[in-house]
Amino acid sequence: MVEVAAAAVPTGMPVVLVGHSAAGPLLPGIAACAHPPVTSIVYLDARLPHPGRSWLDTLPPPRADALRTQVAGDRMPRWNEWFPPEAFASLLPDERAREDFVKDLPEVPWEVFTEVMPAAGVSRLPERPLYVQLSEAYRATADEAEEAGYQVLRAEATHLAMMTDPSLVMDLLLTALT
């Protein structure tokens, strides 16, 4: 899918790669093989690259232990089921939007959480990646990104603001990228 989207970019146009949440650590690898080359990377309330460690290794031990208890066979339940129903409802207050969102969520194989991330592309990131913090849950990650030299924008929104307040997210991205 990335190749199809990249192929549609007119010659000479900048290519911006945006990743949300758990997609963040995948961005360097995607950028490393993208053609045309990626000119900007945006971490949108996302986890940062963690080469040499698994996603589970990056979590505080109590959170990792809690997730381990949710594994059924070799799969994690849908993302919305990781949290109490009221917590998920607060992220997406509109019931219809919540139902539409949930129907497309997969049960992800447990190995996705335990796979050690490669260093692919990390050394070839654009000079100053952008980090956009949407939710309080990603404040520490935004702080870490800032300490690492990323450009950081912060908003008081929710983790799923691209669904609940898409104008805010678009404004943040356009402000940062122009």
Side-chain angles (χ1 to χ4, degrees), residues 5-16 35-40:
V9 175
T11 303
M13 291 294 294
V15 176
V16 178
H35 185 74
V38 170
T39 53
S40 300

Side-chain angles (χ1 to χ4, degrees), residues 119-166:
V122 172
S123 63
R124 295 190 302 245
L125 287 173
E127 248 181 68
R128 192 158 188 226
L130 171 63
Y131 192 95
V132 178
Q133 177 199 340
L134 298 174
S135 68
E136 185 60 33
Y138 280 80
R139 176 178 299 283
T141 308
D143 292 346
E144 181 183 340
E146 198 164 47
E147 289 171 17
Y150 291 49
Q151 175 187 355
V152 176
L153 293 178
R154 299 173 191 263
E156 291 184 29
T158 69
H159 187 57
L160 299 178
M162 69 288 294
M163 293 185 68
T164 59
D165 196 351

Side-chain angles (χ1 to χ4, degrees), residues 16-167:
V16 178
L17 183 60
V18 179
H20 176 254
S21 198
L26 305 175
L27 296 179
I30 295 168
C33 61
H35 185 74
V38 170
T39 53
S40 300
I41 290 182
V42 179
Y43 293 84
L44 184 63
D45 226 31
R47 300 186 58 78
L48 296 174
H50 47 82
R53 296 184 298 159
S54 73
W55 184 78
L56 201 64
D57 293 336
T58 68
L59 298 178
R63 180 70 179 133
D65 291 342
L67 288 176
R68 282 186 189 94
T69 67
Q70 295 184 341
V71 179
D74 68 342
R75 294 197 149 336
M76 280 295 288
R78 293 174 178 208
W79 179 77
N80 65 298
E81 296 171 20
W82 300 7
F83 312 97
E86 62 277 1
F88 183 64
S90 71
L91 289 176
L92 276 175
D94 181 87
E95 187 174 347
R96 182 179 206 124
R98 211 169 40 247
E99 288 171 2
D100 287 345
F101 180 80
V102 168
K103 75 179 179 186
D104 291 328
L105 292 177
E107 291 182 350
V108 178
W110 179 244
E111 68 186 338
V112 168
F113 301 92
T114 60
E115 179 182 15
V116 174
M117 295 298 295
V122 172
S123 63
R124 295 190 302 245
L125 287 173
E127 248 181 68
R128 192 158 188 226
L130 171 63
Y131 192 95
V132 178
Q133 177 199 340
L134 298 174
S135 68
E136 185 60 33
Y138 280 80
R139 176 178 299 283
T141 308
D143 292 346
E144 181 183 340
E146 198 164 47
E147 289 171 17
Y150 291 49
Q151 175 187 355
V152 176
L153 293 178
R154 299 173 191 263
E156 291 184 29
T158 69
H159 187 57
L160 299 178
M162 69 288 294
M163 293 185 68
T164 59
D165 196 351
S167 295

